[in-house]
Amino acid sequence: MLSGNIGLKLLNYRQGVGVNDMTKRKITIYLIEDDEDDYLLLKRTLNKISKTSYALTWEKNVEKVIANIRTCQYDLVIVDFRLGKWTGIDILKEAKGQGCKKPFIMLTGSGNEDVGIAALRAGAQDYLTKEEITPTVLERAIRYAIERREIVLREQELVAEQTARKIAEAQRNRLEEVLLDLERHQERLELAQKTGNIGAFEWNLKTNLLVWTPELQALYGLSEFEPITEYLQWKRLVHPSDRDRVEKELQKAVSENSQLSTEFQVIWPDGSVHWIYGKGRVFYDKKNKPLRMVGVNMDITGRKRLESQKDEFIGVATHELKTPITTLKGYTQVLMNRLKKKNDLPTVAYLSKMDSQLSRLSTLVEDLLDVTKIQSGKLHFHMEDVFFQELVREVIDSMQLTTEKHTIKLEKDVSKKIRADRNRIGQVVTNILSNAIKYSPEASEIIVKIDAIDSKIVLSIQDFGIGISEKAQDKIFDRFFRVSGPREVTFPGLGLGLYISAEIVKRHGGDIWVKSKKSEGSTFFFSLPIKRNKEKNGR
Amino acid sequence: MEDKKKILVADDDGGILDVLQIMLEDAGYAVDITADGASVKAMKKPYPDLLLLDLWMSGIDGRDICAYLKDQKETKHIPIVIFSANKDTAAIAKECGADSFITKPFDMEELLSLIKKHIM
């Protein structure tokens, strides 16, 4: 297409259309020729051309030509093919290589058409056989060479221009797309921030400067005209009771490259207190130096209010549910005592069953409340020094009273102190023992052992009951899991006991696990860290 | 009859007060009951030999009553047994100076042996 175009234009020029103004001024020609006779011949021929005047500069030193060709200011270069150890094609290639855009005409000897063709291929505009040179031929060759060169250059410029325009257009389109995309993202983000009570921040860890979105300003009760731009400014807005803790958590996230996830209270300018949930990620440079933290804040005041209502509810529910049970139990026991004195033993036996059912009801209420506490992170411990062995003995003694069939044997023990919530660990031992009793109705023995392994005490409770299938063993510490099917009435319960026990043990820094074989029995284990005597010196 | 030990039971639940009165009288104690926490705090002579106090009373915190009585010269000798439906409050009971703590629902035997520890 391109060459066709040029061809058409060339044709137009040949027909004399669009001839430019080169006839009016002198055309400068640079002749590279090592033969003075040839130079003189060319000069004479040029002088015979009447309609155009030429300024001919002769150069026979090829090295000098090569050194200056890049800055060549002539309208045309005529070069002889034979130049001692050089050829005209060498000069041509050198000139093109250096970026010279001037038109070239190659002079050759007669009968050397091949050289001419090679010259054209190397970029010459034309070639002339010295013997054929006449003023007419020369004039036309010069004119065509210059015009052709100009046309090619103009075409190249045009193509380059078009390409550049196309690239620019494509870039502009892409940019518009990206901007549109960005706008949509921005809109979505703003919508999300506004509807979700979320604000975003960027914290430069080198300068301690902050960038906040307007939504974040609003979460702190500030208008967009009161921007928070420094870390210390933010810190002052955090409630004094949370300030140090949150700062430590921030430092931890930065130093350990961990995700920040925290809750804290902030004080608004009007004095009201609001809860904020903060999440952030730290970005590092190539040398692993922290650069910035990017994250979001969310208002969780409503959720916190609900949580505290829930806590209050748990407390009230515990009280309200257990009070009637306490009263019922009390009357049952008063009746039992009075009937014992009257020696009405069958009725005493009924009342005893009633009493144990009331104990069961009480345990169920307790378990449900414990699970609620675990779920809401409100299971609190009162840690004290506990002689583990003593605690286990106490639990065994009281559990022994609940079964006539089984003998609970403490086969091995060690005397070690642990740091624990006495009631809660007692609850774990009670739970495992009552399971052992419940799930080994045909057995007569339950074996308890206490070991000290490394820095932990390990308690094992072995029964010879129905056992647990391997598949079920993985799930046994999950919430609501039960060994038997829901329709089976032999082993009732909500299946919360082991879940609660596992939570209590884990929160004490221990582990809980089971070894069991179907129809042979189960051994439950749990471990707890032994209290180290040197703890005080270490502080 | 004169040498019967006197126990004051303070709880805001009438059912609990009734059954504790019967239970403790059956066990041979003289029992006074009250649902009014403020009157317990302001108790005058003759003092009971033991106070059985609910930690969660409406209107007033059992902790306050306990801490107050244990802080007064005239009443600090009186043994106080705190009972609560929530076993997590055992530590709280200790903090306010109570002599013993028992969780609801309790066994009669358990309660009586605890009382015996403090009054012979």
Side-chain angles (χ1 to χ4, degrees), chain B residues 74-91:
Chain B
E74 294 81 16
T75 54
K76 68 176 174 194
H77 68 281
I78 304 170
I80 299 178
V81 176
I82 280 192
F83 57 111
S84 165
N86 193 341
K87 62 184 165 205
D88 291 350
T89 50

Side-chain angles (χ1 to χ4, degrees), chain A residues 312 314-316 318-320 322-327 329-334 337-338 340-341 355 358-359 362 366 370 373 378-380 382 384 421 423-424 427, chain B residues 11-19 22-24 26-27 54-57 83-92 94-95 101 103-109 112:
Chain A
E312 211 171 291
I314 293 170
V316 171
T318 315
H319 195 260
E320 290 302 311
K322 286 173 118 191
T323 299
I325 299 175
T326 308
T327 312
K329 244 177 122 60
Y331 280 115
T332 311
Q333 291 175 355
V334 167
N337 261 5
R338 289 191 176 180
K340 254 187 213 164
K341 282 174 193 160
D355 186 57
L358 285 168
S359 297
S362 167
E366 193 81 53
D370 280 350
K373 281 182 200 166
K378 298 290 166 188
L379 186 67
H380 298 305
H382 301 285
E384 55 186 330
D421 183 316
N423 283 322
R424 289 297 185 181
Q427 182 185 349
Chain B
D11 196 311
D12 59 353
D13 185 86
I16 298 271
L17 288 177
D18 283 349
V19 75
I22 298 167
M23 192 186 281
L24 295 173
D26 271 13
D54 185 19
L55 195 61
W56 283 42
M57 295 188 53
F83 57 111
S84 165
N86 193 341
K87 62 184 165 205
D88 291 350
T89 50
I92 294 169
K94 265 187 196 165
E95 274 165 33
F101 176 84
T103 313
K104 290 181 193 173
F106 37 77
D107 275 317
M108 195 169 136
E109 299 288 327
L112 293 177

Side-chain angles (χ1 to χ4, degrees), chain A residues 255-311:
Chain A
S255 63
E256 293 179 8
N257 191 9
S258 56
Q259 179 111 259
L260 173 79
S261 176
T262 184
E263 293 179 358
F264 54 92
Q265 300 164 85
V266 296
I267 302 173
W268 281 25
D270 64 8
S272 60
V273 176
H274 297 253
W275 274 97
I276 298 281
Y277 170 69
K279 205 173 164 129
R281 227 188 100 190
V282 184
F283 292 86
Y284 299 81
D285 66 10
K286 281 174 192 156
K287 287 176 186 163
N288 234 356
K289 288 231 170 76
L291 283 179
R292 62 211 162 91
M293 178 184 271
V294 179
V296 290
N297 277 189
M298 193 195 290
D299 191 304
I300 53 163
T301 311
R303 199 190 86 200
K304 280 285 170 185
R305 200 175 295 138
L306 278 176
E307 263 176 29
S308 79
Q309 278 171 0
K310 193 172 165 188
D311 286 352

